[in-house]
Amino acid sequence: MNKDELQQQMVAAMKAKEKTKLSIIRQVMGEVKNIEVNERRDATEADVDSMIKRLIKQTGETLEMSEKAGTDAERTETLAEQVRILESLLPEQVSGDALIALIEQVIAETGAATKRDMGRVMGALTQATGGNFDKPAAAREVGARLS
């Protein structure tokens, strides 16, 4: 997702009066603005995606702690909704059969044969998908295919 698409999402959230979504998008826009100011360049689509992934990780960790504490169900639900909104902003992840086919292709291209080659295969997968794939599932699948 690029900055313009993010801006459009923000306007749509304002019109629909979706406070949680608007809050999250504003947070992402603020982080993108920080990149532009600090690095004196326009934010790329990769910058926006990495920012969203970082926020998903941070919010997910907070959600985990909130679930473990089990004291504030409303806060836990809000955090879960924030994670869902952030995930919806990312492009669809490669998973399932498409991921397995891509793994087989990368293994064939790299000539990987042993578990020592796993890092090379995972790196090639990251390059091929822009890091937009289910990493734990891919690691299990690659590990099962390499001896």
Side-chain angles (χ1 to χ4, degrees), residues 30 88 144:
S88 74

Side-chain angles (χ1 to χ4, degrees), residues 61-78:
E61 289 171 354
T62 306
L63 173 62
E64 253 182 60
M65 286 185 260
S66 180
E67 287 172 342
K68 285 181 184 176
T71 55
D72 192 352
E74 186 178 325
R75 175 175 163 74
T76 303
E77 180 55 38
T78 302

